[in-house]
Amino acid sequence: MAALAADLGAGRTTSRELIEQALARIANSAGEGKRAFVKVYDAAARAAAEAQDKLRAAGYVASPLAGIPVSIKDLFDIAGEVTLAGSKALDDAAPAKADAPIVARLKRAGAVVIGRTNMTEFAFSGVGINPHYGTPGNPFDRTLIPGGSSAGAPISVADGMAAVAIGTDTGGSVRIPAALCGVVGFKPTQFRVPRDGATPLSTSLDSVGPIGVIVACCALTDAVMSGEEPVVPNAVPPEGLRLGVPKTVVLDDLEAPVATAFERAVSALSRAGSRIVELPLEILGDYARLNIKGGLPVAEALPGTKSCSRAAAGSTTHASGRASSAAGT
């Protein structure tokens, strides 16, 4: 994203050109646009891009996000539209009266909202399967799942359909798909970014976070959404950092390539001067028992709406590992 902002600032490209490139990738029948997005704002995005180009020519740049294509998860309100949250159960719901605060802040920062990304129905799964709108394929292997619940968000970034994506994270719904798709996901503390105007899953655990190509993309976008100055914090050198490696549950049964990559990363950090500390964290051994009935998300989602309960009961929550196993794909 910083490179795109630099290109815009130097006149090497325009916002309209960036939007046209993103829209072309979304529309490409050989790509994942049809499954990664449930709605695309072609006309509105072009108009917003042209407005940002005129503002830039006049010497006004609202933020580093100005003129940059951004995707949003399909559970954020946009004025005049029904927020479906990846479901068909809300087709008859009333349209939103106003943009969600994070959408309004992104627009004020000059970001161009290019479309709504696909998601697990009501955000109730970390797998990424959606039986209504299809399941987008992982950018490394289109037959594999993208992870969820923000399934379309990381693919929109990895495939160049957006420079940054906005998702929500309850138990990993930003971090899981970002990790599976090879991009960066950030879950901030819960009240840092307003959750108003976002369909809830768990009032105790939900938070709003960005997905980008690098950490700086997430830092800038998080700052905009939290109402802070959009700057990237100074990097902390690895020397002297104390980094914990949990030894209970978290690293169990890793696939060989994942285990190798993890060990390589830990070794690189150690060589760079970080202090690596193995942490037993035996308490994590109780996680499966404590969450045998679904934990907080199930308890808090169930009373919300009948449609949420029905969707949860009918959701496919097993990880088959194959996107093609989902209905509609």
Side-chain angles (χ1 to χ4, degrees):
M1 188 168 69
L4 295 180
D7 286 344
L8 285 168
R12 290 188 291 269
T13 189
T14 65
S15 179
R16 179 61 187 265
E17 288 174 347
L18 294 180
I19 295 306
E20 291 298 344
Q21 291 166 10
L23 289 173
R25 292 186 180 109
I26 294 171
N28 184 357
S29 59
E32 292 297 303
K34 184 177 181 180
R35 288 172 289 276
F37 285 85
V38 296
K39 189 165 188 178
V40 181
Y41 301 117
D42 305 64
R46 289 186 173 105
E50 290 180 358
Q52 289 303 315
D53 285 336
K54 290 177 181 178
L55 286 170
R56 189 178 294 274
Y60 181 78
V61 181
S63 82
L65 284 177
I68 301 290
V70 174
S71 69
I72 64 168
K73 189 175 181 177
D74 188 36
L75 50 58
F76 292 107
D77 286 348
I78 290 184
E81 296 187 1
V82 175
T83 305
L84 296 176
S87 181
K88 293 289 189 180
L90 299 181
D91 283 350
D92 297 329
K97 294 182 179 180
D99 288 345
I102 66 106
V103 174
R105 287 179 178 182
L106 287 166
K107 288 180 178 178
R108 284 198 298 270
V112 178
V113 178
I114 201 161
R116 291 179 176 268
T117 51
N118 198 356
M119 57 178 284
T120 306
E121 189 173 16
F122 291 113
F124 201 85
S125 169
V127 177
I129 292 172
N130 189 297
H132 308 298
Y133 302 105
T135 300
N138 190 292
F140 294 101
D141 182 340
R142 298 303 187 187
T143 68
L144 299 179
I145 56 170
S149 64
S150 306
I155 294 171
S156 73
V157 172
D159 286 4
M161 297 181 282
V164 69
I166 313 302
T168 57
D169 192 313
T170 302
S173 288
V174 160
R175 294 162 292 163
I176 292 170
L180 293 185
C181 294
V183 290
V184 178
F186 174 59
K187 177 177 181 171
T189 51
Q190 188 177 55
F191 297 108
R192 176 173 170 78
V193 178
R195 297 174 296 158
D196 308 273
T199 305
L201 175 61
S202 168
T203 54
S204 298
L205 300 174
D206 291 349
S207 63
V208 178
I211 293 174
V213 176
I214 59 175
V215 173
C217 298
C218 292
L220 283 172
T221 308
D222 169 76
V224 167
M225 293 193 297
S226 63
E228 295 184 354
E229 187 72 19
V231 296
V232 178
N234 292 329
V236 177
E239 296 88 350
L241 288 178
R242 183 171 181 265
L243 305 176
V245 177
K247 303 302 291 185
T248 303
V249 176
V250 179
L251 300 179
D252 291 351
D253 302 320
L254 291 181
E255 294 284 342
V258 177
T260 299
F262 181 79
E263 290 299 330
R264 186 167 58 242
V266 171
S267 296
L269 288 166
S270 179
R271 289 194 302 273
S274 296
R275 181 185 173 196
I276 308 299
V277 181
E278 293 188 352
L279 302 176
L281 294 180
E282 292 95 343
I283 193 171
L284 295 181
D286 285 335
Y287 181 82
R289 178 181 62 81
L290 293 173
N291 286 275
I292 194 168
K293 293 185 178 181
L296 276 174
V298 170
E300 293 182 339
L302 191 62
T305 62
K306 290 182 179 179
S307 59
C308 267
S309 303
R310 182 173 62 195
S315 291
T316 303
T317 56
H318 61 84
S320 67
R322 296 286 165 183
S324 58
S325 65
T329 61

